Amino acid sequence: MTAIIILKFTWTGFTISFLCISLGLILLILAYKKLLAHLGKGKITHTDFCVLYPLENPNVSGELELYYTCEHLIPVKINILNSDLVFVKNIYDKTSKIGGNIIRCDLETFDLGDYFYELKTDKQRTMKKFRIVKKA
């Protein structure tokens, strides 16, 4: 009869231990999820940024035609920089339209050579290289 009581006591202890370990694991998982949510609060979303597309042909003469897209109304500046990344000219300084935007710039007053065009917002600065060549 004592063997049966010890067996019941052991089974009850095992059940209680199993439930305590399970509860501890559940609490640990919930704390981990809470920590991940807290660390992800300042997460960068790509919808806050514009996408500046490269030129079809980086050798340009006459007119520069830039294309970029934005998913929100964002104040955008587009500048031309020389090969040393020194500001040359601002060609666009407005709030962008949602979706695709095409910006054109006359290059007749620029010298031949390498330049960069940059798109600037409050949160981003993106640059692409192009070269002004003689008209064919």
Side-chain angles (χ1 to χ4, degrees):
M1 188 149 187
T2 45
I4 296 173
I5 292 173
I6 293 172
L7 185 62
K8 278 188 174 182
F9 180 75
T10 307
W11 182 253
T12 306
F14 173 75
T15 305
I16 291 173
S17 297
F18 179 76
L19 291 175
C20 288
I21 291 171
S22 298
L23 180 63
L25 286 173
I26 290 171
L27 290 175
L28 187 66
I29 290 170
L30 290 174
Y32 179 71
K33 287 179 101 177
K34 185 106 173 152
L35 176 68
L36 286 179
H38 176 70
L39 292 176
K41 278 185 182 176
K43 185 178 176 184
I44 296 173
T45 58
H46 293 287
T47 59
D48 293 341
F49 297 97
C50 297
V51 178
L52 180 62
Y53 290 90
L55 300 173
E56 290 179 11
N57 183 4
N59 297 322
V60 181
S61 62
E63 184 178 63
L64 176 66
E65 188 172 271
L66 309 174
Y67 180 72
Y68 73 94
T69 59
C70 288
E71 293 189 27
H72 299 289
L73 295 174
I74 301 173
V76 171
K77 290 182 182 180
I78 297 180
N79 300 319
I80 303 292
L81 309 173
N82 67 13
S83 59
D84 297 326
L85 300 179
V86 176
F87 175 84
V88 175
K89 183 179 180 181
N90 178 278
I91 60 173
Y92 186 79
D93 189 0
K94 297 180 183 175
T95 300
S96 70
K97 298 182 295 184
I98 296 174
N101 297 275
I102 297 174
I103 307 300
R104 291 180 177 86
C105 174
D106 183 27
L107 299 175
E108 294 297 326
T109 60
F110 289 87
D111 295 331
L112 302 179
D114 293 333
Y115 290 89
F116 291 89
Y117 58 96
E118 78 169 344
L119 181 141
K120 285 177 76 171
T121 67
D122 293 338
K123 297 182 181 180
Q124 113 183 65
R125 181 180 180 196
T126 305
M127 291 189 294
K128 305 281 184 191
K129 188 174 183 177
F130 72 99
R131 176 174 285 151
I132 299 176
V133 295
K134 283 185 183 180
K135 284 188 178 181

